Amino acid sequence: MVNPLKNNVAAIDLEKGLQENYGAFFETELLKEILKVGKYKRLSAEEVILDVGQEIQYFPLLVSGAVRVMRYDEEGDELLLYYLETGDTCALSLSCCLGSKKSEIKAVAEQNTDLILIPVEYAEIWLDTYPGWRRFVLDNYHYRMNELLETVDSLAFMNMEERVYKYLKDKAMVNHSPQLSITHQSIAYDMHTARVVISRVLKNLEKSGKISSTRNQIELLQW
DNA sequence: ACATTAAGTGATT
DNA sequence: AATCACTTAATGT
């Protein structure tokens, strides 16, 4: 049985979240359609939204929070690709759905996150019917591509210390706080390297006054 | 008090 | 920059 009260609350959240974050870009008709077919969803931190090999059924619109998008191999070694923040969507989702392919990535909630889920069949049709939607999807594609290039650049051209520092800055950015609750091990995981390497690099960053750190806690002193 | 987990270090490749 | 082997420090029960 669906609880009508709970449903009602979700409906209000959906409308509010939609208006605040997307009201400016989308046509009124489109907003109405989204209200009709979109589903509101709350994710708690570290909840897995999508995993490799999963069929993509929904197109996500971030309303609050952040999502990290990562790649991993057979041995479970991971690499962080980029974050999605409020007002973003995962453009990869669309390219996947169009070819009805399975997901190439894993998406995990970085914090508690609210999103609106659009069934893919609508997302595809709207490309033709709403210029605002098309613009939004293409822009997002562009942003994600740029972030991916940034990640590739950091892998190819930056040394470990620069990479770790960038990682910390990005993380502070999406979490809106220079204080990060994180272990050396989990950084190593995200950056696909060994914990000892991270520990040593962090020590250097600390010596040069860029961060301060204690167990499970790193603070960026300038960013 | 003891076990577990996080972080630091020297030596080697 | 990665790996090994080990130590030390912080924390949970």
Side-chain angles (χ1 to χ4, degrees):
Chain A
M1 257 306 246
V2 179
N3 178 344
L5 188 64
K6 222 175 165 183
N7 229 16
N8 201 24
V9 169
I12 291 165
D13 285 347
L14 196 154
E15 189 158 6
K16 191 162 156 276
L18 184 62
Q19 195 55 48
E20 277 174 12
N21 295 287
Y22 300 93
F25 320 115
F26 292 169
E27 293 87 345
T28 343
E29 275 304 304
L30 173 57
L31 291 169
K32 274 190 212 154
E33 282 220 54
I34 292 176
L35 284 179
K36 236 191 296 173
V37 303
K39 292 183 177 58
Y40 203 82
K41 175 131 199 201
R42 290 218 142 94
L43 300 162
S44 40
E46 299 309 311
E47 207 174 321
V48 177
I49 304 154
L50 181 70
D51 208 339
V52 174
Q54 228 171 292
E55 199 100 38
I56 292 153
Q57 293 159 320
Y58 295 101
F59 204 76
L61 301 179
L62 282 253
V63 168
S64 82
V67 170
R68 58 171 189 275
V69 174
M70 53 221 310
R71 196 107 244 257
Y72 64 34
D73 70 9
E74 319 78 49
E75 278 107 61
D77 294 328
E78 304 193 337
L79 177 70
L80 175 68
L81 297 179
Y82 51 75
Y83 293 100
L84 298 178
E85 295 177 82
T86 305
D88 287 342
T89 187
C90 185
L92 271 173
S93 310
L94 197 75
S95 67
C96 283
C97 337
L98 291 179
S100 58
K101 293 274 163 50
K102 292 182 173 157
S103 174
E104 298 288 345
I105 53 97
K106 181 182 180 185
V108 183
E110 169 82 5
Q111 328 147 3
N112 293 340
T113 296
D114 295 317
L115 25 91
I116 298 170
L117 296 172
I118 311 288
V120 292
E121 48 293 10
Y122 292 98
E124 194 173 339
I125 294 166
W126 293 344
L127 283 177
D128 293 327
T129 46
Y130 298 104
W133 179 254
R134 186 164 59 238
R135 181 81 266 143
F136 169 73
V137 170
L138 288 175
D139 281 353
N140 256 280
Y141 215 100
H142 180 232
Y143 295 144
R144 267 359 101 205
M145 179 66 86
N146 277 341
E147 278 171 85
L148 206 53
L149 285 178
E150 249 187 60
T151 304
V152 171
D153 282 349
S154 95
L155 273 167
F157 306 126
M158 288 163 74
N159 65 31
M160 252 305 158
E161 185 159 327
E162 292 171 316
R163 280 183 64 201
V164 171
Y165 195 45
K166 172 174 161 41
Y167 171 91
L168 294 174
K169 282 189 288 187
D170 286 348
K171 183 133 183 140
M173 199 81 83
V174 302
N175 287 297
H176 307 109
S177 162
Q179 274 112 242
L180 304 169
S181 296
I182 193 170
T183 63
H184 298 184
Q185 181 60 73
S186 60
I187 298 174
Y189 243 111
D190 279 353
M191 307 221 325
H192 194 210
T193 181
R195 195 226 88 219
V196 276
V197 174
I198 298 297
S199 293
R200 285 187 170 125
V201 165
L202 287 175
K203 194 104 259 190
N204 276 340
L205 287 171
E206 198 166 10
K207 265 191 216 143
S208 50
K210 289 180 176 151
I211 62 164
S212 79
S213 89
T214 52
R215 189 188 166 102
N216 287 322
Q217 197 74 32
I218 295 174
E219 179 173 5
L220 268 94
L221 300 175
Q222 53 201 66
W223 78 100

